[in-house]
Structures are given as C-alpha cells and as structure tokens.
Amino acid sequence: MPQQKDIVKIAIQMPGAYPQLIQLDQKKPLSAVIKEVCDGWNLPGPDNYALQYADGVQMYITESNRLDIKNGCILRLTKAPGRCAEDLFKGIQSSDAGVRCDSLKELANVSRDVTFAQEFISRDGHLVLVKIVEDSNENNLIMTHTLTAFMELMDHGIVSWENLSFIFVKKIAGFVNAKVTDESIQQVSLDILESMVLSSHGLFVQVKQEVTMERLIAHFQVTNLQIQTKAMALLMALLQTAGDSDRQEMFAFLNKKNLRQYIYKNIILSSGLIQDEMAHYLYVLQSVTLNHLEDRMRMPLDCYSQDQRDILHTLRQAAFETDSENSLSHERRRSLCAKEFRKLGFSNNSNPGQDLVRTPPGLLALDTMYYFATHYPDAYSRFVLENSSREDKHECPFARSSIQLTLILCEILRIGEPPSETGSDYHPIFFSQDKLLEELFCVCIQLLNKTWKEMRATQEDFDKVMQVVREQITRTLSTKPTSLELFKNKVNALNYSEILKLRQTERLHQEETLAPPVLELKERLKPELLELIRQQRLNRLCQGTMFRKISSRRRQDKLWYCRLSPNHKMLHFGDVEEETENPPIETLQEKIPVADIKGLLTGKDCPHMKENKGKQNKDVLDLAFSITYDVEEYSLNFIAPSRSDFCLWTDGLSVLLGRDMSSESMKSELEILLSMEIKLRLLDLENVPIPDGAPIVPKPPSNYNFCYDFSQTEQ
C-alpha cells in the first residue's frame, strides 16, 4: 500500500480524448504509469509515448525530474522523445519546403528540452542543421528556424562549440555583417557568435577576424531593441574574452569611433526605458572600460621617479607663484617647498610623495589632482588659496581631501571590481563623458570645499565631511543624470542642510515602519537613556574645560578654567597659565552657586556677543554661551573650544537648571544608544549563556613589534 506522500493527484490530456484524472504513485516506474494511461485510451505501443507538462515550459517527464510534479499538475500524453527526434530528423531533410519549414519550426520549440536534445543529437541532427546553414539555399523563414533550433540544441552543452567548421562560422558572421538581411536571422546569429566567443579562444580569434567592429557598432543605430541588445552582448563578450593587447586594440578603435557617444545618442537618449538585458550590458561595458584605471589605482607613488616628483612640484607651483624660487639657497628653497606643500594639504610636507604610497587610490589620486590643476587652473588656485588664508583649524586640506575623494569615487564606480553576472547599475553619465573619473573629481572636489564650509568643519571633522560628500555623490548618481552638467547642478543643490533633512525624513519613515511593540519599547527606553546622557554631561562639567578670553587689546588671549563641584552645587572658575592641565578645584578662586544661576543664553543673545556686535564671525557666535546670575545683573561668558564642548556645556547647564537638553550632539547620541539597546533587546539569546562578569583581560604581549610606526609619515 503506497504511503500518502508518494501519491500525487494529476490530470493527463490528449488531443481528441477526455482527460484522465489519476493518482500518480511516485514509487511506480514511469513506464508502468504510461502503460496504464495508454490502456485507458486503448492506445497500442506505450513505448512510443511519454508524459510532458501541458503548461509553461513543456518539458518531458523523466525518472530524474518526476518528483517535481505537484498536486493539480496538468500533463499531456505525447510522442516519446526518441520517436519525436526521429520524425523531425526526417522532416528537416524532406524534399518538400513546407514540410522542412514546419519541422524546423517544431524543432526550434522542442529543442529546449534536454531529453529531446540528447535524442536528436545522438542521430547527428545538429550536423544536418550545420549543413543547411553552410549551403545557405533556404529562404529567410527556414533559415531563422534552423538557426534558432541550432542555438537551443547547443545551449545544453551536449556537444562542443569547438567542433564547428570554419565555413559555418564565416556564414554566421556574414549574416551579422550583411547590411540588408532579415532581422530575425541577425538576432539569432548575434546570439550564436556570442556563445562561440565565450566558449573558446580559437573561436574568439575567428569571430574577431570575421565580424567587423564597424558593422557591429552600426547595429546600435537600428530601431530594433533586440538587435541593439544582442550586438551589445557580442561586443561585451569580445572585450571580456580578449587578452590585454587585443582589448587595448579594440578600445582604441572604439574610442576612435566615439562608441560611448554612439551608445549615448542611439540607445540611452532614444530608447526610453532601458530593458534589463541591455542595462546589464551597459553596466558591463562601463565596468570593463573603467577597470583600465585599476593599474594606476594599485600602483603607489615611486619616490625615485623624476616624472612623478615633477608632477608634485607642478601642483605646488600652479597654486603658489614662485618666480624667484631659483634664486634661493638650497635650504631656503627646501623650507619654502615644505611650507607650500603643507598649505597644499599634504600630511608629510617634507616628502609629500609618502601621502600617495597608500593603495588604493595610489597614483590615480595624483592623476586626478593634476587633471584638476591643468584643466581647471582658476578653480584649483581658488580652492588652495582660499583655504590657505583660513584659520588653521578650518582650512580644508586639498591633497588629503583629493586622495580620499579619489578613493570614494573608485568605490562608487567599482573600479577594480570584476563585473557581476547580474549587475545592471550603469551610469548614463559614463556614456556622455570620455574622462568620467577625472571630470567627476573636478566637480566633486569643489563640492567638498563647499560642503566643508557649510559644515563649518575643522580637521577633526574630516571623516564626517567625507561621509556627507559620499552621500551627496551616491544620492545624485542614483537619479541617473544623463550629463555632467546635470550631475553638477543636482549635486550642488544637495547641500548639507538638504542631506540632514533627507536623513531625518528617512529616520522618521523607518520609525513609522517599525512594529508597534518596537515603538513602545523605544519609548520605554528613552527616559533611562536620557538619564545616562544627563549624568555624562554633569560628569564632564565636573572634569572642567579650558576656555579663552576674547580680548581686542591683547595679541595673546588669556586662558581660564571652569568646572562644576562634585556635589553639583558650585561652579568654580579662575585664570590659569597656558601649561596648566586640569587644575585642582581649590586653585580656582571664583565661584557661583548653581542655585543663583537664572538663565542660559547662546549665540548672539550673549552679552559678550552684543558688546562686540559686528566684530564676531559666525564660527565664534556658534561657540558662545553665557549664564546669568543674581537677578540677571551679572553674567559669566564662555567661548567653547569646539562645537562638541559647546554641546556638552549647554546640555550640562540645562540639566542643572532643570531644563531639557536640546543640542544636536545629545540627539545624535540618544539615537545611537536607542538603536544599540533595541538591537540588543531583540537579540535571540535562547540557550546562549550570558556571563555574570566581564571577560578577563589578557596579558599584554611580550613586545610590540607588530605595531606600525606612523611617526615617519607624520613628520
């Protein structure tokens, strides 16, 4: 008695007969099942029949795939694959053109099934198809069916492509090269040539010789999207299979023929919606083309190369006029160069080549800087001189920024990564621009300088600025701009404030999509985490901070220190010397009871900002805060050393006054803590032992020889 799981309820059809509803026993041999079905319709010779899916891909049912049959499947009784192969083998050789055409049409359809393909190829049926092509005596319709059937049979990998004759390859290439021929024949011929190229180097060489690049490119100009796509597929196969010298030769020809602009005009701009297959080939072409930059990206600067040293000095001389440089002594000239390289933003100003040793981006960073300096000299000089005149802490380092920006662009454009088999993320801008990386760099380095100013960044904010710039570039490229000018307009419109708005919108959207229990957990966690931040702020005030007094009369501003008493009842402050670090609370002569503090003022509302109205720049305004005490008749005025200290002190003073903290630093920290805490709470810790105490800290190593000495690069 068969088990229930081995029984499948199916329907079996046959033209001109009522369907049979049967319970298929998967343990019973397929031949026995077919015999029972034939007996049900009184059909003799069950060996001449087989079962096949009636819907979708009409594959033959075999012992190896029968377990894929599900309840409710509809099958049909049809000719056995061997009998079908024999009939079609005779039909395609018939003297009647109509019979040949019908047989080849059916052959093109049933050849998708591997079981049939094995039977047909075992009779050397594929060689008959090759002979039909070589003779080329048939009309276009018969030739289309012949080529389609041949392609379907070869796709199964039963026979090797390498066995094909030179005459056959030449005939197929002739169909592609022909200026006037049937479009269906061209489509399948392009398919066949692509498979040839990918199958063996010998066929690659022959196809490359037979198919002219001129004609291949001409296929991009036709209105038939399928022919455009197939031509692009063949071109990609040729480029990917070629060796370095062949690939360079093809690229030289394609650049000479302005292939990118050709594709841009005839495919991207005129085709409307790009189909997935074409999008993949555009992505592959972009990837293969950009990857020729990989060698430069992987190559560090050679400090002994005179050419590379000359480029570095060209960058320096283009930024700073040094006409009298040759008249200086060696030591004076060396000192001047080091000073100017420092202004240019190199970390190692005595040997700037050391900054370009890291790979990636290697020499590619030097290439992009040189391209910017030589192609946009006014913008280059403006960038360098503008930042040379800023305060040290607010200058945007050109060289350091350029090196990091080049790396970011390499990562975004995936330079050095082989194209994936399913990738389709191409950039239309690539096809409108010959020097995409270099031109993008020239736009983005100016964007970086603009964003640096918008963020009022210091050297400490370098990584944060680069993250924002990366986001500006990726968000803009995701809109698929079709030209460099359009990219430039869009990326410059996406300023820092817009990035913050987008981040906030996305964060809110994420919160809205959270499940109600998660939102409830988030609200329950907030008070606990806010209290943690409040305690941190008060502890920071107890540690104290060094402040500068702003004085218009003194060239060297005085320093003073302020800290909160451990019991949070007194603010102690007093003047200190430059060398003083963390002075004891007893040495601070002045103090204000926290209970006497009446208010907290920031920015232009501070008394010391009102006194110097019109003289303070925006950076100072953003760091200014004051506390008022004794019925608001007196005030203690602060200029925070950094925005981070400003947030810590204004939050801490707000806590002392019983107010809510409101700084951007607090909001950011609260989001980070909430995110971490929720992730920890949602972890599946079932059967995971949680230790009661912290793990034991291992003993220090016997030596530190594995550490890298950065002192050489920081000189």
Side-chain angles (χ1 to χ4, degrees), residues 551-556:
S551 170
S552 58
R553 298 179 183 177
R554 297 176 182 271
R555 299 189 68 170
Q556 182 63 44

Side-chain angles (χ1 to χ4, degrees), residues 52 58 60 76 84-85 88 103-117 120 152-153 156:
Q52 193 178 49
Q58 297 171 354
Y60 280 103
R76 71 178 181 187
C84 183
L88 290 177
S103 297
L104 286 163
K105 182 179 179 181
E106 185 180 351
L107 178 63
N109 184 47
V110 297
S111 293
R112 298 172 189 169
D113 187 280
V114 66
T115 307
F116 169 83
F120 189 78
E152 294 291 351
L153 289 168
H156 297 295

Side-chain angles (χ1 to χ4, degrees), residues 257-325:
K257 293 294 180 181
N258 294 321
L259 173 67
R260 287 201 221 175
Q261 285 77 8
Y262 214 80
I263 293 173
Y264 182 69
K265 179 181 177 182
N266 294 291
I267 296 179
I268 294 176
L269 293 185
S270 63
S271 296
L273 181 65
I274 302 293
Q275 295 178 347
D276 290 345
E277 193 176 1
M278 176 59 82
H280 170 68
Y281 295 130
L282 293 175
Y283 152 79
V284 172
L285 177 59
Q286 171 188 291
S287 179
V288 172
T289 307
L290 287 174
N291 276 352
H292 81 278
L293 298 169
E294 182 179 6
D295 289 344
R296 299 290 287 177
M297 184 182 76
R298 306 283 183 201
M299 191 182 298
L301 185 134
D302 180 3
C303 295
Y304 297 101
S305 168
Q306 186 61 47
D307 290 342
Q308 293 171 16
R309 291 206 304 270
D310 288 346
I311 291 174
L312 284 170
H313 283 287
T314 300
L315 291 173
R316 179 182 62 81
Q317 291 164 352
F320 309 103
E321 293 184 8
T322 52
D323 294 337
S324 59
E325 183 180 307

Side-chain angles (χ1 to χ4, degrees), residues 85-340:
E86 186 64 34
D87 291 347
L88 290 177
F89 182 73
K90 293 175 181 176
I92 64 175
Q93 299 179 79
S94 171
S95 58
D96 187 322
V99 173
R100 289 201 306 277
C101 186
D102 292 340
S103 297
L104 286 163
K105 182 179 179 181
E106 185 180 351
L107 178 63
N109 184 47
V110 297
S111 293
R112 298 172 189 169
D113 187 280
V114 66
T115 307
F116 169 83
Q118 288 169 337
E119 292 286 349
F120 189 78
I121 289 172
S122 70
R123 292 164 170 77
D124 288 335
H126 62 296
L127 298 180
V128 177
L129 299 179
V130 169
K131 184 74 166 57
I132 294 172
V133 174
E134 290 177 347
D135 292 343
S136 294
N137 295 324
E138 301 289 4
N139 61 41
N140 287 344
L141 183 58
I142 289 181
M143 188 58 70
T144 300
H145 293 325
T146 302
L147 294 172
T148 305
F150 176 80
M151 187 65 202
E152 294 291 351
L153 289 168
M154 296 299 291
D155 264 351
H156 297 295
I158 299 169
V159 292
S160 172
W161 287 91
E162 295 183 25
N163 297 330
L164 296 173
S165 68
F166 176 82
I167 297 173
F168 180 81
V169 178
K170 195 174 184 67
K171 286 287 183 182
I172 300 295
F175 293 140
V176 171
N177 288 333
K179 292 186 178 179
V180 180
T181 191
D182 184 84
E183 289 186 344
S184 299
I185 291 178
Q186 283 198 329
Q187 282 184 40
V188 69
S189 296
L190 286 164
D191 254 344
I192 291 171
L193 290 177
E194 180 197 1
S195 296
M196 286 181 183
V197 167
L198 294 173
S199 66
S200 83
H201 180 71
L203 285 172
F204 158 77
V205 172
Q206 191 175 344
V207 171
K208 181 175 174 290
Q209 289 173 347
E210 295 295 332
V211 179
T212 64
M213 282 287 173
E214 198 94 39
R215 282 301 300 150
L216 191 55
I217 294 173
H219 288 307
F220 299 147
Q221 206 167 10
V222 301
T223 56
N224 187 313
L225 293 179
Q226 284 299 314
I227 288 183
Q228 287 183 342
T229 304
K230 304 295 184 189
M232 181 65 76
L234 177 54
L235 177 61
M236 293 306 97
L238 288 165
L239 286 172
Q240 287 182 278
T241 310
D244 289 340
S245 59
D246 283 330
R247 189 180 294 118
Q248 288 175 7
E249 178 190 330
M250 284 189 277
F251 269 131
F253 178 84
L254 295 173
N255 288 334
K256 183 180 177 182
K257 293 294 180 181
N258 294 321
L259 173 67
R260 287 201 221 175
Q261 285 77 8
Y262 214 80
I263 293 173
Y264 182 69
K265 179 181 177 182
N266 294 291
I267 296 179
I268 294 176
L269 293 185
S270 63
S271 296
L273 181 65
I274 302 293
Q275 295 178 347
D276 290 345
E277 193 176 1
M278 176 59 82
H280 170 68
Y281 295 130
L282 293 175
Y283 152 79
V284 172
L285 177 59
Q286 171 188 291
S287 179
V288 172
T289 307
L290 287 174
N291 276 352
H292 81 278
L293 298 169
E294 182 179 6
D295 289 344
R296 299 290 287 177
M297 184 182 76
R298 306 283 183 201
M299 191 182 298
L301 185 134
D302 180 3
C303 295
Y304 297 101
S305 168
Q306 186 61 47
D307 290 342
Q308 293 171 16
R309 291 206 304 270
D310 288 346
I311 291 174
L312 284 170
H313 283 287
T314 300
L315 291 173
R316 179 182 62 81
Q317 291 164 352
F320 309 103
E321 293 184 8
T322 52
D323 294 337
S324 59
E325 183 180 307
N326 293 331
S327 62
L328 299 175
S329 65
H330 176 72
E331 286 301 319
R332 288 287 305 277
R333 185 173 182 272
R334 186 175 177 180
S335 174
L336 176 65
C337 288
K339 182 180 178 182
E340 290 179 345

